Amino acid sequence: MEDMKVRVVESSFVAPSERTPRKGLWLVRACSLDLLIAKRGHTPTFYLFHNNDAASDFFDVARLKAAMAKALVAFYPLAGRLGVDSSGRVEIDCNGKGALFVVARADDITIDEIKDVKPSPELRRQLVPRIEPSSVVMGVQVTFFKCGGVALGTALHHASIDLIRVPTIDATSAFHFFQTWSALSRDGDHAAVELPCHDRTLLRARSPPIIHPDALSMFHPKLTFSNPSGPITTQVFSISKDQVTSLKRGCGGASTFCALSALVWRCACAARRLPPDVEARLTFSANIRRRVTPPLPERYFGNAYLRVGVAATVQDVIAPQALASVAGRIGGAIRRMDDEMVRSAIDYFEAEEMSGHWAATGTRPMTELHVTSWLGMPVYDADFGWGPPLVMSRAESNLGGFVHLVSDGPAYGGGGVRVITCMEAANVKELEHLLYQDLARCI
């Protein structure tokens, strides 16, 4: 990556092609889930596309901009700016100013040379647009390589300014936008578009609040970070389709998410050499769209995820025959998320005015691990008319104690999972050894 030279050739803003609602979108008394995330900034991701047919119009910029302008009519908050209203509340000002659109060139490298590059600050700097001003909600960068291929870097704002809480969207909503934008580019006016639902009052707190006591032990709005005692590093572990199948069988038929989360948690606890009697905690984000009554619209546009946690002593997590039971603990936490638990969590967050505690860099305590899953999401549905992406991934992961699960794309054969792990560098080799050792035992 250090040898790759990317030069920006164009930078502009794409506004909605039709007039959109002009309003402030703030949720301080509407949906507490949108208010939990702070100081996260823009989430960086990227897609890689091969120009297999040597198309002369491959990723035509005018076509992409026209399709984005149409998509932003329905997804108008993404064309807005973060701001503060007259009462001092942070909001998305839905002003239609547009999303940032950057065009760049990398004439000395091919996408095959970077498709296996792990997330890093340099990868983000080269392929993801630098958002200026920082109030811009969304930016994309189309980078053309000498091989004719393209990288599409994306940055969507998920958070707030100076620890003040703001509306946000989750990964499900973000991928819905990219599905829509790509469909409009591919199919034009014939595209089958599912409109987003912007009614965030569907997750409004109750008045008065009703908080089930069990909710307090299940949901974990706060994440604590500290300066790492040593360097942290990002490593990507590839797990094949056959390994995933064997692992799930070894976990008693658990879901892919539960089986992989159990495996990584177990191996991380062992690699970190935690004392056996210490309590370890695994947290993960769970989609609640189908957990409330009535269910949210599938195309609800906002944040419909709650941070759920499970805890156990280290010896219970790393015991030789414990993998299936650990996966069962994770699955049990998910099953307990019914309407009452979810509503209780929302009420609690609203009553306590939770803001979350995030940092730009740092690490979580070694007794804790957080898993974010993009499994089952339409990460490879971004076909702009020239075929699906070869690779989709985060561009940077710099917070220690975080794991991302991403389905394999065509570049890796499909059906497997990439485990993007950011943790202390001193333990990552041992984690790799233990992870593949446990996978081998499942076969």
Side-chain angles (χ1 to χ4, degrees), residues 66-86:
M68 176 181 281
K70 291 180 180 179
L72 289 174
V73 174
F75 292 84
Y76 59 87
L78 298 181
R81 299 291 183 270
L82 291 178
V84 180
D85 69 8
S86 58

Side-chain angles (χ1 to χ4, degrees), residues 33-40 158-160 164-166 168-169 303 307 355-356 358:
L33 301 189
D34 279 325
L35 311 176
L36 292 177
I37 305 173
K39 297 295 273 186
R40 290 187 62 184
H158 280 248
S160 73
I164 305 173
R165 303 173 298 176
V166 302
T168 182
I169 64 170
N303 177 30
R307 190 172 299 113
S355 63
W358 287 83

